[in-house]
Amino acid sequence: MTRLTSPTQTEKPMLTSYTRFQQEFATGLASAIEAAYSESIDDASLYSDTHVAALIERPRKAQFGDLAFPLFPYVKLVKEAPPVVFEKIFAKLYLPDDLGEVTFAGGYLNLTLNTTRLAKALAAEILPAPDQFGSSSFGAGKRMLVEFSSPNIAKPFGIGHLRTTVIGASLNRIFAFLGYETVSINYLGDWGTQFGKMIVAYQKWDGEKELAENAIKGALSLYVRFHEEEKNDPTLSEAARLAFKKLEDGDPEMTELWEMFKTVSWKEFERVYNVLGIKFDLITGESFFNDKMDEAISRLEKAGLTSESRGAEVVDLGEFNLPPCLLRKQDGATLYATRDIAGLMYRWDTYRFCESLYIVGSAQADHFKQVFKVLELLEDAEGAAPDERMTGKVKHIPFGWVKFEDQALKTRAGHVIYLDDVLQKAISLAESKIRDKNAELADLSNVAKQIGVGAIVFSQLSVRRQKDVNFTWEGALNYEGETGPYLQYTHARLSSLLRRYHSQSDEQSVPNYNELDYTVINDTNTHQLMATIARFPATVENAAKEYEPFLISSYLLELTALFNSFYQRRDENGKIVKILSDNKALTDSLMSIVIMTRATIATGLHLLGLEAPEEM
RNA sequence: GCCCCCGUAGCUCAGUUGGAUAGAGCAGCAGUUUCCUAAACUGCGGGCCGCAGGUUCAAUUCCUGCCGGGGGUACCA
């Protein structure tokens, strides 16, 4: 056997059970269409495998089967009624014997996969290594930078920071699961005029005393007071600007204060990251680029991109319908954009990434457009070779606001909800629930933490990125329905089943998938459950492609809902049909599905950043 | 003014390369437990898909305009 080593091979998605079924269906359909209609359809590409495969979709409802092929385009071409088109294609349709059953409904040619074949294919795909299901080597050899969280450490860690943190951590895990070498970066806001403000406030209003009791809340009250008094006292803004300028020029007193603020806040942030279970490969701050600004700016100057405008040094982006990108203020101090540009240059030189993602709120969309455009202009001007360009590889991944009780959270106005408070409340609620339901649970407090944190994390990932989410205590502390704890609960149920199965059967391991008899399974619920499991690899891939962890969240909700009704399905008398029964062939087969479902849920939860407790 | 995002059930949201009777959860109501974990399951009610045009065999989905909400729009980040 010869192994093909074409360079495109790694670009192809892994061949999963699901994609294989699609291919077989498409191939069969393509030849059937050709046989039936090659006379009346001139364009041969309309019955090519790839064209047909692209048309195949998933039916809206399970009753229509597993795969659907819309006949409308052909109906229009040959000017025949849909049922006629169906009959003609169906007459020429030869699919592998065991692929499934074809039906016609509503203008679609539908395929319901053969349950036994579906089950066998899945078992062969998953059971040998359940943990690996859905993973791939697609990203092998590619380096992916994911910058997220990036809090401004002059401010408290509020729930406003939750989304970037949770979305970024999830994307990082997803890409790693797909074989990428990921570098998670926390780019701390540890520089800028805000520190000038803090320093002024600290010196003016006895900050030492203010911070002594509770550093974080003390710092916040200084910050809030500054913004309140600034409204009536313009000299404060000027003082802050000056303080920051002194800091930037290396003034020892300013530097000492700045270090102190940094240490105090970072301690608090680190604690919260630990609770969330998030680690970074690289923690840097804007200040890291202080000594790299001049070089970045002079590179832009040499390329002839800079100009002077109203006393500031800028890159004019008027022809791209963007405001000018400011590099230096009138007083010579640099800005956010300058640091991001220097940062990108540095990252490109250091990492040569295949992609670099910025998980930052959509309010900063224009900022990133500017920065990326400046770099594009620079690479154009320097005549960089195509593979030496970072343009197109750097991406802003935007997301909507977190609002509280329908109001925007404004740190400056002191309107803050501490993430830590939220997490602690969620955890103690989980704890009291466990005491109600499963008081003897070993490791109770650790499981409570997993569930409480899971509830909060999941709440941020159960809506598409671009939408604003409205934080309410009621919503965050609801553990029923479409929530993180619901997913975790289902996982715990599955784990419990597995424990019982092992305790009553001789073998401690997974059933041998070659010997399983799936012909004993014929109900639609189980079929649907398996068809849904089969979609997991494609779901992970889509989540990566769209930078959208939500796709995994909604998939998991669908999967767990199906499992829970599978688990509680009833016979004619309304009695629950148990999975573990005296019928060994049936039990083994059902348990193989339990094992596959459990592994999929555990992996999915992990990719979202939730723990999967075995008991709760 | 210009640019971007959002508008779907009472509430929170799915529905995204345009396709079948627009779906979930919460809340409400009615059931299910001699316990394979009821943080669950089953059923019921609930919709001018913001409005008006256009493209199409087909529009919640694409285009245009309008209305409503949010954000951005050079020395904050």
Side-chain angles (χ1 to χ4, degrees), chain A residues 128-147:
Chain A
D131 296 351
Q132 294 304 305
F133 179 50
S135 71
S136 82
S137 53
F138 182 74
K142 297 180 194 163
R143 185 176 280 154
M144 173 75 75
L145 270 54
V146 187
E147 181 195 303

Side-chain angles (χ1 to χ4, degrees), chain A residues 509-521:
Chain A
S509 60
V510 165
N512 184 336
Y513 60 90
N514 285 315
E515 290 167 8
L516 290 169
D517 179 8
Y518 287 110
T519 58
V520 292
I521 297 171

Side-chain angles (χ1 to χ4, degrees), chain A residues 54-83:
Chain A
L55 285 174
I56 292 175
E57 47 189 89
R58 192 157 62 92
R60 253 169 210 267
K61 288 187 175 179
Q63 68 192 76
F64 297 125
D66 300 304
L67 296 170
F69 180 69
L71 299 169
F72 309 104
Y74 300 92
V75 164
K76 194 187 172 191
L77 273 172
V78 302
K79 299 194 172 66
E80 292 171 345

Side-chain angles (χ1 to χ4, degrees), chain A residues 139-146 175 179-183 347-357 393:
Chain A
K142 297 180 194 163
R143 185 176 280 154
M144 173 75 75
L145 270 54
V146 187
F175 282 108
Y180 289 83
E181 179 200 338
T182 59
V183 182
R347 283 183 197 176
W348 178 242
D349 290 341
T350 312
Y351 294 103
R352 291 288 146 154
F353 45 77
C354 100
E355 271 184 54
S356 180
L357 309 179
K393 300 185 176 83

Side-chain angles (χ1 to χ4, degrees), chain A residues 286-559:
Chain A
E286 297 177 82
S287 61
F288 176 74
F289 296 103
N290 287 348
D291 59 358
K292 298 170 183 65
M293 298 292 205
D294 290 344
E295 194 194 327
I297 292 174
S298 75
R299 221 176 124 185
L300 294 169
E301 285 167 349
K302 272 183 205 142
L305 295 174
T306 59
S307 56
E308 197 243 276
S309 170
R310 302 183 211 171
E313 184 168 12
V314 308
V315 177
D316 185 72
L317 298 172
E319 63 176 302
F320 307 105
N321 202 20
L322 286 169
C325 183
L326 269 81
L327 302 173
R328 274 192 208 281
K329 303 198 269 189
Q330 284 178 340
D331 64 6
T334 57
L335 290 110
Y336 181 49
T338 329
R339 288 189 285 277
D340 261 350
I341 289 167
L344 263 166
M345 289 174 175
Y346 175 81
R347 283 183 197 176
W348 178 242
D349 290 341
T350 312
Y351 294 103
R352 291 288 146 154
F353 45 77
C354 100
E355 271 184 54
S356 180
L357 309 179
Y358 289 79
I359 320 299
V360 181
S362 51
Q364 293 187 39
D366 281 355
H367 163 73
F368 283 106
K369 275 187 201 156
Q370 288 176 290
V371 168
F372 296 162
K373 183 52 85 177
V374 168
L375 285 160
E376 187 184 341
L377 294 173
L378 179 69
E379 288 177 333
D380 287 348
E382 291 180 346
D387 56 342
E388 286 294 306
R389 291 169 70 100
M390 64 177 117
T391 297
K393 300 185 176 83
V394 288
K395 288 178 184 167
H396 174 217
I397 310 301
F399 56 86
W401 294 90
V402 179
K403 296 181 296 180
F404 178 69
E405 317 273 298
D406 279 320
Q407 284 188 304
L409 292 156
K410 301 272 189 207
T411 312
R412 291 182 180 190
H415 186 205
V416 175
I417 298 179
Y418 294 92
L419 182 50
D420 195 41
D421 291 349
V422 173
L423 292 171
Q424 293 315 321
K425 262 193 194 176
I427 292 167
S428 59
L429 176 71
E431 196 168 325
S432 74
K433 288 215 170 200
I434 298 172
R435 287 194 200 286
D436 284 351
K437 295 160 197 278
N438 194 2
E440 287 99 73
L441 178 63
D443 206 11
L444 192 148
S445 70
N446 187 42
V447 174
K449 185 185 142 196
Q450 296 182 344
I451 294 168
V453 172
I456 302 302
V457 169
F458 190 82
S459 72
Q460 298 300 307
L461 296 176
S462 56
V463 177
R464 286 198 96 103
R465 265 181 12 230
Q466 286 280 17
K467 286 218 179 187
D468 293 347
V469 296
N470 190 21
F471 180 92
T472 61
W473 283 109
E474 197 196 348
L477 301 179
N478 169 32
Y479 294 174
E480 278 155 33
E482 298 176 332
T483 64
Y486 171 81
L487 300 178
Q488 292 171 316
Y489 174 70
T490 309
H491 179 267
R493 271 182 151 180
L494 283 149
S495 304
S496 169
L497 263 180
L498 198 58
R499 283 192 301 273
R500 281 174 183 266
Y501 175 66
H502 282 156
S503 72
Q504 65 178 236
S505 78
D506 302 332
E507 42 186 327
Q508 287 293 304
S509 60
V510 165
N512 184 336
Y513 60 90
N514 285 315
E515 290 167 8
L516 290 169
D517 179 8
Y518 287 110
T519 58
V520 292
I521 297 171
N522 60 3
D523 67 291
T524 52
N525 185 288
T526 313
H527 180 97
Q528 265 188 71
L529 177 59
M530 290 191 289
T532 303
I533 294 171
R535 275 170 35 221
F536 182 61
T539 303
V540 177
E541 220 173 279
N542 283 338
K545 213 177 284 175
E546 296 182 31
Y547 310 103
E548 185 66 279
F550 158 79
L551 295 177
I552 293 177
S553 308
S554 62
Y555 168 85
L556 285 182
L557 288 170
E558 202 182 327
L559 179 68

Side-chain angles (χ1 to χ4, degrees), chain A residues 202 206-213:
Chain A
Y202 184 89
D206 195 6
E208 202 171 337
K209 193 177 150 204
E210 196 72 60
L211 266 65
E213 213 169 289

